[in-house]
Amino acid sequence: PALLNAVARVRIGHTRMALVDSFLVANRLAVATGSATMMCPAPAQGGCSGRPDWSRGWLVFADVDGDRAFSARDTLIQRRPALAGGIRLHSTVGRTRIVFQPDGDIAGSNLTFTLCSAQADPAGTVVLSNAGRFHLGQASTAQISSCRDG
């Protein structure tokens, strides 16, 4: 159990940093280009998923055509692969995409990502504010349960 927890902590930390990197890339691109940049969970078959499960990876793209969906007309910036080792990543229910505005803000409300492991105890959160800022936190029991059940 101790080894599983240690490995899960490392994988969760790595996923947090990958998510934060994607936030920064999307934010900087939106500000630099003056156009919306999107992030969304990406199923294996491509495009954006309409679910809050980001465990299968995610996309960062310039929404060139302005339709808030990934298509051939848009510019793919990043594609993060599916998470390994039983790590799961879930966003706030109802928030299945992030739109970074040209001023760096995100459209909508604050967004919480919960990271958990299917086999071990460690879990954590990444909260993205409307201002495009983020902070790391500890997941509550309810968040962990929802993440594992997700």
Side-chain angles (χ1 to χ4, degrees):
L3 181 58
L4 282 176
N5 286 339
V7 170
R9 257 191 304 282
V10 168
R11 287 182 174 153
I12 286 172
H14 178 1
T15 303
R16 276 179 160 174
M17 293 305 103
L19 188 62
V20 166
D21 175 66
S22 292
F23 293 162
L24 294 173
V25 166
N27 180 288
R28 288 180 181 143
L29 182 67
V31 171
T33 63
S35 61
T37 304
M38 307 267 309
M39 281 181 65
C40 66
Q45 65 270 25
C48 290
S49 167
R51 301 185 59 210
D53 182 0
W54 295 59
S55 304
R56 292 184 179 98
W58 60 88
L59 302 177
V60 176
F61 62 95
D63 188 25
V64 175
D65 58 12
D67 67 354
R68 303 296 194 246
F70 183 67
S71 67
R73 294 179 301 266
D74 297 319
T75 304
L76 180 63
I77 307 303
Q78 269 186 355
R79 180 175 186 79
R80 293 288 184 162
L83 305 180
I87 301 300
R88 302 193 67 180
L89 176 63
H90 285 262
S91 62
T92 306
V93 174
R95 293 297 309 269
T96 59
R97 66 180 181 198
I98 305 169
V99 180
F100 286 89
Q101 304 293 336
D103 63 2
D105 291 351
I106 64 168
S109 59
N110 290 353
L111 177 60
T112 300
F113 286 90
T114 304
L115 288 130
C116 66
S117 170
Q119 303 94 357
D121 292 334
T125 61
V126 179
V127 179
L128 182 63
S129 74
N130 277 352
R133 294 183 186 99
F134 62 88
H135 70 273
L136 308 178
Q138 295 299 316
S140 69
T141 303
Q143 287 171 316
I144 294 168
S145 177
S146 176
C147 181
R148 287 185 177 150
D149 295 340

